[in-house]
Amino acid sequence: MGYAAARGGRDAITAAEQLVRDERESSSSPWLGIDQLIDRQRLAVDRVMGEGGLWDPHLAGRALQQAEGDSIEAAHLLRSYRATLPRLAYTEATDVDDARLLRRIVPAYRNPPGPQLLGRTTDYTGRLLDRADDDDWRESAEKRSAERDVLRADASVHAGEPDDDADDTKLGERRFGRLLDVLRGLDLVVDRRRTDDPEPVDITRTATRPPAARSARLAVMARAETGALVNLWYRNVLGPDGYIHEVTLGEVRHAELPVRITHPHTGGTVEIGSVRVTEVEAIEDLDGADEDRERFDVGYGLCFGHNEKKAIAMANLDIACERDRPIDGRASELEQSILMTTDGLDASGFLEHLKLPHYVTFRSMVDRKLAVRAAAGSDEP
Amino acid sequence: MAASTVVEAGFLAAARLDPASSLSVFRALLAAASRPGVVTRIDASRVAEASHRPPAVLLPALALLDLDHVVAVLDETDRDESSPSALLSAATGARPTDDLSDADIVIAMRAATADELLAMRRGSAHEPELGARLVMACRAIATSTEAGDRLGPTWSTVRLRGPGVPEPGRDIAIDGVLDEVFSALAETNRDFPAGIDTWLVADDGAVVAIPRSSTIDVDGGVS
């Protein structure tokens, strides 16, 4: 760190580190296992994987544990670790329609192709703090858990028998069309296909500067800090930027996306696992004087894990950025904000470094003040 | 191409470093780069049996490369199944090249020439991370005090100065790399932060680094 010219204090630093470790680990409460974080703090783990840019729930849980629940710090730990890993293969492009649906809603349209599959959501639930007695809460949870185990065991006994609900249980594995297909069929969507961005930009290898290819912009947002993205979207909609976007969500999906690579020896496609992703399509009303007012346009968002706030903000910012694009090809202020200010590690790293010793730089500032004062004094008649 | 050659299984197995071995090599390279002129050591003996042990000069590449990287090997007479680039490519997935300006890392099995050094990628002030890493073989490395009177005609002595080196500088003696190579290296790195980072690796695993931030005085140190 170029700002720190101070030496010494190593003992104090070591003791401070030890204090963090001791206070975190020597609590009298039961040990917080990583499996508990993965099972019960799922959204926090998903967020850390998304912002850290690495799919590994166990390591993300470990990072959250080490960071005492600070999601940006945990994402930092995970991304640092990620940087040490060798690249063994590149995945093949996967059709998102191959994903196994866990949840899918189409807020724009009551009867879209395929189901409205609510899945796991509190969208329609009042935000009331559950103040039930903790022991009662736990007892009730254990009872429900036992009932579910019985049902599961029962289902496995009857597995293979004809099942009236087969359509429902296999629902997530079927491919469904999208609202976008319907709109395209009605010629209600502008065609924005392009040929100048064929391979996705790898933002971990190439520093992204505005103006950037759309693939770079999407990758930046997929790793961005959730709060930063939500804030930027909100500012764009309601803030001093003064835009009023009429956006409707065409798809909100939470799904398991298969990960496929080319087998190094056979050359065939092999599925090596899956990642959960949240995917959003945001349909925007084009109403600008120079826009195609007969049609809609679509923004796209996709990020690791179950993080609907992030994917929705991303999809909306994607289309906002497209519409804001200056005619001369330069970057808009919005694009600059997305690329340069939404990364959690960038922002918090810069902020955190302010706590490190700045003795020399500040001393220099004091010297300049004194010099200005001395110069001003000498100018006086 | 090397990628299509089949490396003998024993050599390949030995060349695929496990994470602990990779880490220990990385640590040695980092320690060397942090203190230019201080001799550290990468230990090939922990990697494999003597019969299949890769030469020490290949260990940095085996530890650091993956399929994102492009590697060039200097002084490779035949690129066959036993050649260094075939081994590196098969073990790490890195793409071999003959074009020095394309290489992220250059493995010099002998001392690089001035032309070769100048052909390597140096990056720019704006993108110094694009500068290449050079790992160059030498016969032996000694500090000037160790070398003493036994310096023969094949030895060169240089004084390194700059970040990580206390004044008035640190002297090293290298067997098997001529003065003119160091002069060319100094010329190559004149536009810091653009430049190339160099690690000299002796047959016995001794390593000394000359990062691009170091100033090189050829034959300036040993009296």
Side-chain angles (χ1 to χ4, degrees), chain A residues 220-239:
Chain A
V220 165
M221 288 197 280
R223 282 211 313 183
E225 205 264 324
T226 305
L229 222 49
V230 171
N231 173 264
L232 189 60
W233 165 76
Y234 202 46
R235 181 191 159 101
N236 188 248
V237 173
L238 287 185

mmCIF file with all atom_site columns, all heavy atoms in Angstrom, chain A residues 220-239:
data_model
loop_
_atom_site.group_PDB
_atom_site.id
_atom_site.type_symbol
_atom_site.label_atom_id
_atom_site.label_alt_id
_atom_site.label_comp_id
_atom_site.label_asym_id
_atom_site.label_entity_id
_atom_site.label_seq_id
_atom_site.pdbx_PDB_ins_code
_atom_site.Cartn_x
_atom_site.Cartn_y
_atom_site.Cartn_z
_atom_site.occupancy
_atom_site.B_iso_or_equiv
_atom_site.pdbx_formal_charge
_atom_site.auth_seq_id
_atom_site.auth_comp_id
_atom_site.auth_asym_id
_atom_site.auth_atom_id
_atom_site.pdbx_PDB_model_num
ATOM 1   N N   . VAL A 1 220 ? -19.785 -7.752  -15.359 1.00 0.00 ? 220 VAL A N   1
ATOM 2   C CA  . VAL A 1 220 ? -19.513 -6.850  -14.230 1.00 0.00 ? 220 VAL A CA  1
ATOM 3   C C   . VAL A 1 220 ? -20.706 -6.839  -13.279 1.00 0.00 ? 220 VAL A C   1
ATOM 4   O O   . VAL A 1 220 ? -20.559 -6.938  -12.060 1.00 0.00 ? 220 VAL A O   1
ATOM 5   C CB  . VAL A 1 220 ? -19.207 -5.419  -14.740 1.00 0.00 ? 220 VAL A CB  1
ATOM 6   C CG1 . VAL A 1 220 ? -19.296 -4.407  -13.613 1.00 0.00 ? 220 VAL A CG1 1
ATOM 7   C CG2 . VAL A 1 220 ? -17.823 -5.380  -15.379 1.00 0.00 ? 220 VAL A CG2 1
ATOM 8   N N   . MET A 1 221 ? -21.904 -6.758  -13.844 1.00 0.00 ? 221 MET A N   1
ATOM 9   C CA  . MET A 1 221 ? -23.089 -6.694  -12.984 1.00 0.00 ? 221 MET A CA  1
ATOM 10  C C   . MET A 1 221 ? -23.344 -8.025  -12.281 1.00 0.00 ? 221 MET A C   1
ATOM 11  O O   . MET A 1 221 ? -23.810 -8.050  -11.141 1.00 0.00 ? 221 MET A O   1
ATOM 12  C CB  . MET A 1 221 ? -24.313 -6.269  -13.798 1.00 0.00 ? 221 MET A CB  1
ATOM 13  C CG  . MET A 1 221 ? -24.259 -4.807  -14.188 1.00 0.00 ? 221 MET A CG  1
ATOM 14  S SD  . MET A 1 221 ? -25.862 -4.164  -14.718 1.00 0.00 ? 221 MET A SD  1
ATOM 15  C CE  . MET A 1 221 ? -25.944 -4.774  -16.398 1.00 0.00 ? 221 MET A CE  1
ATOM 16  N N   . ALA A 1 222 ? -23.011 -9.131  -12.945 1.00 0.00 ? 222 ALA A N   1
ATOM 17  C CA  . ALA A 1 222 ? -23.217 -10.441 -12.320 1.00 0.00 ? 222 ALA A CA  1
ATOM 18  C C   . ALA A 1 222 ? -22.346 -10.584 -11.069 1.00 0.00 ? 222 ALA A C   1
ATOM 19  O O   . ALA A 1 222 ? -22.704 -11.303 -10.140 1.00 0.00 ? 222 ALA A O   1
ATOM 20  C CB  . ALA A 1 222 ? -22.914 -11.557 -13.318 1.00 0.00 ? 222 ALA A CB  1
ATOM 21  N N   . ARG A 1 223 ? -21.175 -9.896  -11.036 1.00 0.00 ? 223 ARG A N   1
ATOM 22  C CA  . ARG A 1 223 ? -20.299 -9.975  -9.865  1.00 0.00 ? 223 ARG A CA  1
ATOM 23  C C   . ARG A 1 223 ? -20.455 -8.772  -8.942  1.00 0.00 ? 223 ARG A C   1
ATOM 24  O O   . ARG A 1 223 ? -19.799 -8.691  -7.911  1.00 0.00 ? 223 ARG A O   1
ATOM 25  C CB  . ARG A 1 223 ? -18.821 -10.016 -10.318 1.00 0.00 ? 223 ARG A CB  1
ATOM 26  C CG  . ARG A 1 223 ? -18.345 -11.320 -10.825 1.00 0.00 ? 223 ARG A CG  1
ATOM 27  C CD  . ARG A 1 223 ? -16.878 -11.531 -10.533 1.00 0.00 ? 223 ARG A CD  1
ATOM 28  N NE  . ARG A 1 223 ? -16.031 -10.385 -10.857 1.00 0.00 ? 223 ARG A NE  1
ATOM 29  C CZ  . ARG A 1 223 ? -14.713 -10.393 -10.725 1.00 0.00 ? 223 ARG A CZ  1
ATOM 30  N NH1 . ARG A 1 223 ? -14.111 -11.472 -10.266 1.00 0.00 ? 223 ARG A NH1 1
ATOM 31  N NH2 . ARG A 1 223 ? -13.988 -9.347  -11.035 1.00 0.00 ? 223 ARG A NH2 1
ATOM 32  N N   . ALA A 1 224 ? -21.307 -7.820  -9.331  1.00 0.00 ? 224 ALA A N   1
ATOM 33  C CA  . ALA A 1 224 ? -21.381 -6.564  -8.575  1.00 0.00 ? 224 ALA A CA  1
ATOM 34  C C   . ALA A 1 224 ? -21.960 -6.794  -7.186  1.00 0.00 ? 224 ALA A C   1
ATOM 35  O O   . ALA A 1 224 ? -22.614 -7.803  -6.913  1.00 0.00 ? 224 ALA A O   1
ATOM 36  C CB  . ALA A 1 224 ? -22.232 -5.560  -9.335  1.00 0.00 ? 224 ALA A CB  1
ATOM 37  N N   . GLU A 1 225 ? -21.735 -5.811  -6.330  1.00 0.00 ? 225 GLU A N   1
ATOM 38  C CA  . GLU A 1 225 ? -22.306 -5.868  -4.992  1.00 0.00 ? 225 GLU A CA  1
ATOM 39  C C   . GLU A 1 225 ? -23.804 -5.610  -5.103  1.00 0.00 ? 225 GLU A C   1
ATOM 40  O O   . GLU A 1 225 ? -24.233 -4.665  -5.781  1.00 0.00 ? 225 GLU A O   1
ATOM 41  C CB  . GLU A 1 225 ? -21.620 -4.804  -4.127  1.00 0.00 ? 225 GLU A CB  1
ATOM 42  C CG  . GLU A 1 225 ? -21.655 -5.112  -2.657  1.00 0.00 ? 225 GLU A CG  1
ATOM 43  C CD  . GLU A 1 225 ? -22.804 -4.419  -1.966  1.00 0.00 ? 225 GLU A CD  1
ATOM 44  O OE1 . GLU A 1 225 ? -23.128 -3.291  -2.350  1.00 0.00 ? 225 GLU A OE1 1
ATOM 45  O OE2 . GLU A 1 225 ? -23.374 -5.008  -1.043  1.00 0.00 ? 225 GLU A OE2 1
ATOM 46  N N   . THR A 1 226 ? -24.586 -6.457  -4.461  1.00 0.00 ? 226 THR A N   1
ATOM 47  C CA  . THR A 1 226 ? -26.037 -6.396  -4.631  1.00 0.00 ? 226 THR A CA  1
ATOM 48  C C   . THR A 1 226 ? -26.582 -5.013  -4.271  1.00 0.00 ? 226 THR A C   1
ATOM 49  O O   . THR A 1 226 ? -27.369 -4.415  -5.018  1.00 0.00 ? 226 THR A O   1
ATOM 50  C CB  . THR A 1 226 ? -26.703 -7.469  -3.760  1.00 0.00 ? 226 THR A CB  1
ATOM 51  O OG1 . THR A 1 226 ? -26.137 -8.739  -4.098  1.00 0.00 ? 226 THR A OG1 1
ATOM 52  C CG2 . THR A 1 226 ? -28.199 -7.502  -3.973  1.00 0.00 ? 226 THR A CG2 1
ATOM 53  N N   . GLY A 1 227 ? -26.164 -4.494  -3.121  1.00 0.00 ? 227 GLY A N   1
ATOM 54  C CA  . GLY A 1 227 ? -26.673 -3.201  -2.674  1.00 0.00 ? 227 GLY A CA  1
ATOM 55  C C   . GLY A 1 227 ? -26.315 -2.084  -3.640  1.00 0.00 ? 227 GLY A C   1
ATOM 56  O O   . GLY A 1 227 ? -27.131 -1.190  -3.902  1.00 0.00 ? 227 GLY A O   1
ATOM 57  N N   . ALA A 1 228 ? -25.095 -2.151  -4.190  1.00 0.00 ? 228 ALA A N   1
ATOM 58  C CA  . ALA A 1 228 ? -24.661 -1.117  -5.131  1.00 0.00 ? 228 ALA A CA  1
ATOM 59  C C   . ALA A 1 228 ? -25.533 -1.136  -6.381  1.00 0.00 ? 228 ALA A C   1
ATOM 60  O O   . ALA A 1 228 ? -25.919 -0.094  -6.909  1.00 0.00 ? 228 ALA A O   1
ATOM 61  C CB  . ALA A 1 228 ? -23.194 -1.335  -5.509  1.00 0.00 ? 228 ALA A CB  1
ATOM 62  N N   . LEU A 1 229 ? -25.849 -2.338  -6.840  1.00 0.00 ? 229 LEU A N   1
ATOM 63  C CA  . LEU A 1 229 ? -26.643 -2.474  -8.054  1.00 0.00 ? 229 LEU A CA  1
ATOM 64  C C   . LEU A 1 229 ? -28.083 -2.002  -7.820  1.00 0.00 ? 229 LEU A C   1
ATOM 65  O O   . LEU A 1 229 ? -28.663 -1.306  -8.656  1.00 0.00 ? 229 LEU A O   1
ATOM 66  C CB  . LEU A 1 229 ? -26.626 -3.944  -8.487  1.00 0.00 ? 229 LEU A CB  1
ATOM 67  C CG  . LEU A 1 229 ? -26.474 -4.256  -9.967  1.00 0.00 ? 229 LEU A CG  1
ATOM 68  C CD1 . LEU A 1 229 ? -25.326 -3.496  -10.587 1.00 0.00 ? 229 LEU A CD1 1
ATOM 69  C CD2 . LEU A 1 229 ? -26.289 -5.754  -10.162 1.00 0.00 ? 229 LEU A CD2 1
ATOM 70  N N   . VAL A 1 230 ? -28.640 -2.387  -6.679  1.00 0.00 ? 230 VAL A N   1
ATOM 71  C CA  . VAL A 1 230 ? -30.010 -1.972  -6.354  1.00 0.00 ? 230 VAL A CA  1
ATOM 72  C C   . VAL A 1 230 ? -30.057 -0.450  -6.239  1.00 0.00 ? 230 VAL A C   1
ATOM 73  O O   . VAL A 1 230 ? -30.959 0.207   -6.767  1.00 0.00 ? 230 VAL A O   1
ATOM 74  C CB  . VAL A 1 230 ? -30.488 -2.649  -5.047  1.00 0.00 ? 230 VAL A CB  1
ATOM 75  C CG1 . VAL A 1 230 ? -31.815 -2.043  -4.585  1.00 0.00 ? 230 VAL A CG1 1
ATOM 76  C CG2 . VAL A 1 230 ? -30.642 -4.149  -5.259  1.00 0.00 ? 230 VAL A CG2 1
ATOM 77  N N   . ASN A 1 231 ? -29.060 0.115   -5.578  1.00 0.00 ? 231 ASN A N   1
ATOM 78  C CA  . ASN A 1 231 ? -29.034 1.566   -5.419  1.00 0.00 ? 231 ASN A CA  1
ATOM 79  C C   . ASN A 1 231 ? -28.911 2.283   -6.752  1.00 0.00 ? 231 ASN A C   1
ATOM 80  O O   . ASN A 1 231 ? -29.596 3.275   -7.014  1.00 0.00 ? 231 ASN A O   1
ATOM 81  C CB  . ASN A 1 231 ? -27.868 1.963   -4.504  1.00 0.00 ? 231 ASN A CB  1
ATOM 82  C CG  . ASN A 1 231 ? -27.710 3.466   -4.449  1.00 0.00 ? 231 ASN A CG  1
ATOM 83  O OD1 . ASN A 1 231 ? -26.910 4.036   -5.173  1.00 0.00 ? 231 ASN A OD1 1
ATOM 84  N ND2 . ASN A 1 231 ? -28.503 4.139   -3.636  1.00 0.00 ? 231 ASN A ND2 1
ATOM 85  N N   . LEU A 1 232 ? -28.040 1.756   -7.612  1.00 0.00 ? 232 LEU A N   1
ATOM 86  C CA  . LEU A 1 232 ? -27.840 2.410   -8.905  1.00 0.00 ? 232 LEU A CA  1
ATOM 87  C C   . LEU A 1 232 ? -29.121 2.349   -9.739  1.00 0.00 ? 232 LEU A C   1
ATOM 88  O O   . LEU A 1 232 ? -29.496 3.309   -10.409 1.00 0.00 ? 232 LEU A O   1
ATOM 89  C CB  . LEU A 1 232 ? -26.677 1.733   -9.643  1.00 0.00 ? 232 LEU A CB  1
ATOM 90  C CG  . LEU A 1 232 ? -26.200 2.432   -10.903 1.00 0.00 ? 232 LEU A CG  1
ATOM 91  C CD1 . LEU A 1 232 ? -25.725 3.838   -10.596 1.00 0.00 ? 232 LEU A CD1 1
ATOM 92  C CD2 . LEU A 1 232 ? -25.071 1.651   -11.564 1.00 0.00 ? 232 LEU A CD2 1
ATOM 93  N N   . TRP A 1 233 ? -29.773 1.204   -9.681  1.00 0.00 ? 233 TRP A N   1
ATOM 94  C CA  . TRP A 1 233 ? -31.042 1.067   -10.395 1.00 0.00 ? 233 TRP A CA  1
ATOM 95  C C   . TRP A 1 233 ? -32.065 2.069   -9.860  1.00 0.00 ? 233 TRP A C   1
ATOM 96  O O   . TRP A 1 233 ? -32.737 2.762   -10.624 1.00 0.00 ? 233 TRP A O   1
ATOM 97  C CB  . TRP A 1 233 ? -31.588 -0.367  -10.239 1.00 0.00 ? 233 TRP A CB  1
ATOM 98  C CG  . TRP A 1 233 ? -33.025 -0.456  -10.634 1.00 0.00 ? 233 TRP A CG  1
ATOM 99  C CD1 . TRP A 1 233 ? -33.536 -0.470  -11.903 1.00 0.00 ? 233 TRP A CD1 1
ATOM 100 C CD2 . TRP A 1 233 ? -34.145 -0.491  -9.743  1.00 0.00 ? 233 TRP A CD2 1
ATOM 101 N NE1 . TRP A 1 233 ? -34.899 -0.512  -11.851 1.00 0.00 ? 233 TRP A NE1 1
ATOM 102 C CE2 . TRP A 1 233 ? -35.306 -0.532  -10.539 1.00 0.00 ? 233 TRP A CE2 1
ATOM 103 C CE3 . TRP A 1 233 ? -34.274 -0.512  -8.351  1.00 0.00 ? 233 TRP A CE3 1
ATOM 104 C CZ2 . TRP A 1 233 ? -36.580 -0.576  -9.988  1.00 0.00 ? 233 TRP A CZ2 1
ATOM 105 C CZ3 . TRP A 1 233 ? -35.552 -0.555  -7.809  1.00 0.00 ? 233 TRP A CZ3 1
ATOM 106 C CH2 . TRP A 1 233 ? -36.687 -0.588  -8.621  1.00 0.00 ? 233 TRP A CH2 1
ATOM 107 N N   . TYR A 1 234 ? -32.143 2.179   -8.537  1.00 0.00 ? 234 TYR A N   1
ATOM 108 C CA  . TYR A 1 234 ? -33.145 3.040   -7.920  1.00 0.00 ? 234 TYR A CA  1
ATOM 109 C C   . TYR A 1 234 ? -32.875 4.505   -8.255  1.00 0.00 ? 234 TYR A C   1
ATOM 110 O O   . TYR A 1 234 ? -33.775 5.277   -8.537  1.00 0.00 ? 234 TYR A O   1
ATOM 111 C CB  . TYR A 1 234 ? -33.128 2.816   -6.405  1.00 0.00 ? 234 TYR A CB  1
ATOM 112 C CG  . TYR A 1 234 ? -34.413 3.221   -5.718  1.00 0.00 ? 234 TYR A CG  1
ATOM 113 C CD1 . TYR A 1 234 ? -35.652 2.834   -6.242  1.00 0.00 ? 234 TYR A CD1 1
ATOM 114 C CD2 . TYR A 1 234 ? -34.400 3.971   -4.548  1.00 0.00 ? 234 TYR A CD2 1
ATOM 115 C CE1 . TYR A 1 234 ? -36.827 3.195   -5.618  1.00 0.00 ? 234 TYR A CE1 1
ATOM 116 C CE2 . TYR A 1 234 ? -35.571 4.331   -3.917  1.00 0.00 ? 234 TYR A CE2 1
ATOM 117 C CZ  . TYR A 1 234 ? -36.787 3.951   -4.452  1.00 0.00 ? 234 TYR A CZ  1
ATOM 118 O OH  . TYR A 1 234 ? -37.942 4.305   -3.832  1.00 0.00 ? 234 TYR A OH  1
ATOM 119 N N   . ARG A 1 235 ? -31.606 4.860   -8.226  1.00 0.00 ? 235 ARG A N   1
ATOM 120 C CA  . ARG A 1 235 ? -31.215 6.219   -8.586  1.00 0.00 ? 235 ARG A CA  1
ATOM 121 C C   . ARG A 1 235 ? -31.590 6.503   -10.037 1.00 0.00 ? 235 ARG A C   1
ATOM 122 O O   . ARG A 1 235 ? -32.073 7.588   -10.371 1.00 0.00 ? 235 ARG A O   1
ATOM 123 C CB  . ARG A 1 235 ? -29.698 6.361   -8.400  1.00 0.00 ? 235 ARG A CB  1
ATOM 124 C CG  . ARG A 1 235 ? -29.168 7.735   -8.729  1.00 0.00 ? 235 ARG A CG  1
ATOM 125 C CD  . ARG A 1 235 ? -27.645 7.761   -8.788  1.00 0.00 ? 235 ARG A CD  1
ATOM 126 N NE  . ARG A 1 235 ? -27.233 8.909   -9.555  1.00 0.00 ? 235 ARG A NE  1
ATOM 127 C CZ  . ARG A 1 235 ? -26.787 10.046  -9.024  1.00 0.00 ? 235 ARG A CZ  1
ATOM 128 N NH1 . ARG A 1 235 ? -26.650 10.158  -7.737  1.00 0.00 ? 235 ARG A NH1 1
ATOM 129 N NH2 . ARG A 1 235 ? -26.471 11.066  -9.785  1.00 0.00 ? 235 ARG A NH2 1
ATOM 130 N N   . ASN A 1 236 ? -31.366 5.502   -10.874 1.00 0.00 ? 236 ASN A N   1
ATOM 131 C CA  . ASN A 1 236 ? -31.662 5.659   -12.291 1.00 0.00 ? 236 ASN A CA  1
ATOM 132 C C   . ASN A 1 236 ? -33.160 5.851   -12.529 1.00 0.00 ? 236 ASN A C   1
ATOM 133 O O   . ASN A 1 236 ? -33.574 6.545   -13.440 1.00 0.00 ? 236 ASN A O   1
ATOM 134 C CB  . ASN A 1 236 ? -31.155 4.430   -13.050 1.00 0.00 ? 236 ASN A CB  1
ATOM 135 C CG  . ASN A 1 236 ? -31.249 4.603   -14.552 1.00 0.00 ? 236 ASN A CG  1
ATOM 136 O OD1 . ASN A 1 236 ? -32.036 3.942   -15.190 1.00 0.00 ? 236 ASN A OD1 1
ATOM 137 N ND2 . ASN A 1 236 ? -30.471 5.514   -15.092 1.00 0.00 ? 236 ASN A ND2 1
ATOM 138 N N   . VAL A 1 237 ? -33.967 5.195   -11.695 1.00 0.00 ? 237 VAL A N   1
ATOM 139 C CA  . VAL A 1 237 ? -35.412 5.270   -11.882 1.00 0.00 ? 237 VAL A CA  1
ATOM 140 C C   . VAL A 1 237 ? -36.001 6.512   -11.208 1.00 0.00 ? 237 VAL A C   1
ATOM 141 O O   . VAL A 1 237 ? -36.791 7.233   -11.797 1.00 0.00 ? 237 VAL A O   1
ATOM 142 C CB  . VAL A 1 237 ? -36.072 3.989   -11.328 1.00 0.00 ? 237 VAL A CB  1
ATOM 143 C CG1 . VAL A 1 237 ? -37.582 4.115   -11.348 1.00 0.00 ? 237 VAL A CG1 1
ATOM 144 C CG2 . VAL A 1 237 ? -35.650 2.792   -12.152 1.00 0.00 ? 237 VAL A CG2 1
ATOM 145 N N   . LEU A 1 238 ? -35.599 6.757   -9.966  1.00 0.00 ? 238 LEU A N   1
ATOM 146 C CA  . LEU A 1 238 ? -36.260 7.795   -9.191  1.00 0.00 ? 238 LEU A CA  1
ATOM 147 C C   . LEU A 1 238 ? -35.349 8.949   -8.794  1.00 0.00 ? 238 LEU A C   1
ATOM 148 O O   . LEU A 1 238 ? -35.821 9.938   -8.264  1.00 0.00 ? 238 LEU A O   1
ATOM 149 C CB  . LEU A 1 238 ? -36.841 7.196   -7.901  1.00 0.00 ? 238 LEU A CB  1
ATOM 150 C CG  . LEU A 1 238 ? -38.074 6.319   -8.046  1.00 0.00 ? 238 LEU A CG  1
ATOM 151 C CD1 . LEU A 1 238 ? -38.579 5.917   -6.682  1.00 0.00 ? 238 LEU A CD1 1
ATOM 152 C CD2 . LEU A 1 238 ? -39.178 7.053   -8.793  1.00 0.00 ? 238 LEU A CD2 1
ATOM 153 N N   . GLY A 1 239 ? -34.074 8.807   -8.993  1.00 0.00 ? 239 GLY A N   1
ATOM 154 C CA  . GLY A 1 239 ? -33.134 9.785   -8.449  1.00 0.00 ? 239 GLY A CA  1
ATOM 155 C C   . GLY A 1 239 ? -32.930 10.976  -9.352  1.00 0.00 ? 239 GLY A C   1
ATOM 156 O O   . GLY A 1 239 ? -33.709 11.226  -10.278 1.00 0.00 ? 239 GLY A O   1
#
